[in-house]
Amino acid sequence: MFLFLLACSLTTSEFNYWEEQRGQFEELGYLWIKGFYSPEQVMLLRAWSDKIAESSNALLSMSRATEISLNTLQQTIPGSLIVVPEAKDPQKVCRAEDLLTCYPELHSFVYGTLTSYLSYLFGEPYVLFKDKINFKWPGGGAFPPHQDFPAFEFFGPKEHITAMVCIDEATIENGCLQIAHHWKDIESIEKNVIQQGAYVLPYVVGGPSHGTIQKEICDQIIWLPILAKPGDVVFFNSYVPHYSETNQSHSPRRAMFFTHNRLRDGEYKTAYYRSKRNDPENPMFHFGTPTKARNK
Ligand SMILES: O=C(O)CCC(=O)C(=O)O
């Protein structure tokens, strides 16, 4: 019904635009929209990223000064950021999460842009599932090839769409996102079918590579480097394999990630972050990431 009402109010060229975008997403599992945000909106995103970095570093310093672990601080300070250090350098913040609880204006901004865009694109309401910023400071860790779904499967929805928002220009040198292109053509692999057209590839369970897709499979995938510019947005579903290399440059490569699911599949953001704050070392929260967990 939503789609029908929407279609009635569109011009032909608008209708064609949405059809084309939807077709691309359905065919490839991702959609790269260049210049999604205006230069003014990019300035705002940069300002939020700077503030979040400052608050994340303040939490790390507080943890050092008080000798209260970061995990305990995040359980003790309601509404604080969830800050996850790099496994190889615990003084560096790999990512900060639950941003939208701490920054209500950022929440409105994301809802009015990305969430609305997805709802238009698919003709039904979408809601946020989780949100984060990956800082990828110079020397910052690589994310091994993984699919996101197995990290989310303990909550209800069987499909998620993440919007990656590029904050700093992404290059090969600074470890841009690399996304699997036409990966469904790979033959004769063992697949765990979740639903029609959606399957999980075999991956390493436990240990430092928890969540990494097996190497023989990665070698068959054609990877597309996403050389995104600030303000570009890449939507991708939770089954598309992706990875990124270490940042070999001298500047950060920051990107925000806003994961959504269809409203009709339920709202899980509060439950997701309650679980994460209560059990931050659970490997499911460190799937295919350069961060530390139990048994990882
Ligand atoms: O930030 C990146 O380059 C990779 C992000 C990613 O795959 C993740 O956070 O799961």
Side-chain angles (χ1 to χ4, degrees):
M1 177 56 96
F2 184 87
L3 192 57
F4 174 73
L5 291 175
L6 184 66
C8 292
S9 61
L10 296 178
T11 64
T12 309
S13 71
E14 285 167 342
F15 182 81
N16 290 343
Y17 168 83
W18 290 105
E19 280 286 289
E20 203 181 296
Q21 302 295 79
R22 197 163 38 246
Q24 271 189 40
F25 185 86
E26 274 158 13
E27 187 195 340
L28 301 172
Y30 68 87
L31 176 64
W32 179 358
I33 306 185
K34 297 182 179 167
F36 183 93
Y37 284 118
S38 69
E40 293 75 17
Q41 289 175 317
V42 171
M43 277 170 67
L44 286 175
L45 286 161
R46 284 230 157 106
W48 275 309
S49 305
D50 292 342
K51 273 190 171 190
I52 295 165
E54 219 174 274
S55 310
S56 304
N57 287 323
L59 265 183
L60 266 188
S61 308
M62 193 187 286
S63 166
R64 277 196 301 272
T66 58
E67 295 183 15
I68 299 174
S69 76
L70 209 44
N71 290 343
T72 306
L73 279 182
Q74 286 157 183
Q75 284 160 4
T76 320
I77 309 174
S80 68
L81 288 170
I82 296 180
V83 171
V84 189
E86 289 262 347
K88 289 199 181 133
D89 183 355
Q91 299 313 320
K92 254 191 207 142
V93 180
C94 174
R95 65 170 191 261
E97 290 207 38
D98 206 2
L99 318 176
L100 304 185
T101 301
C102 309
Y103 295 90
E105 317 78 29
L106 178 58
H107 195 172
S108 312
F109 180 85
V110 168
Y111 183 79
T113 53
L114 300 169
T115 313
S116 308
Y117 189 91
L118 278 177
S119 303
Y120 259 73
L121 186 61
F122 294 107
E124 66 171 291
Y126 271 71
V127 286
L128 277 147
F129 179 80
K130 61 171 287 188
D131 57 84
K132 67 180 175 193
I133 180 165
N134 286 349
F135 291 107
K136 212 181 255 218
W137 303 109
F143 290 72
H146 63 278
Q147 293 170 289
D148 285 339
F149 180 73
F152 304 156
E153 72 177 318
F154 304 98
F155 299 87
K158 298 261 178 283
E159 266 184 62
H160 310 77
I161 300 178
T162 295
M164 182 190 82
V165 177
C166 174
I167 307 292
D168 301 306
E169 181 169 358
T171 63
I172 300 285
E173 191 194 13
N174 71 14
C176 66
L177 189 76
Q178 306 255 0
I179 210 159
H181 190 58
H182 285 300
W183 62 285
K184 291 196 177 172
D185 303 342
I186 303 171
E187 292 294 334
S188 64
I189 45 170
E190 186 199 317
K191 304 167 186 167
N192 175 12
V193 178
I194 306 297
Q195 59 181 23
Q196 211 207 341
Y199 56 84
V200 173
L201 300 166
Y203 62 85
V204 178
V205 178
S209 307
H210 179 62
T212 307
I213 300 172
Q214 288 175 1
K215 184 165 179 338
E216 318 77 83
I217 295 169
C218 293
D219 290 347
Q220 294 181 58
I221 296 176
I222 296 168
W223 300 98
L224 176 77
I226 306 282
L227 302 174
K229 299 259 193 286
D232 286 5
V233 170
V234 182
F235 292 100
F236 57 98
N237 73 36
S238 43
Y239 295 96
V240 180
H242 54 280
Y243 80 99
S244 67
E245 303 278 5
T246 309
N247 182 354
Q248 308 280 3
S249 79
H250 299 292
S251 320
R253 191 241 58 190
R254 296 165 300 175
M256 290 180 175
F257 294 81
F258 299 100
T259 302
H260 292 76
N261 64 266
R262 287 185 297 232
L263 173 61
R264 72 175 137 115
D265 292 335
E267 294 206 59
Y268 287 90
K269 189 165 159 295
T270 308
Y272 181 86
Y273 281 118
R274 192 183 309 121
S275 308
K276 193 165 249 184
R277 282 183 199 272
N278 287 340
D279 188 13
E281 303 270 313
N282 190 319
M284 82 164 142
F285 298 127
H286 301 266
F287 195 91
T289 62
T291 54
K292 245 179 145 41
R294 272 195 303 280
N295 307 322
K296 196 180 165 216

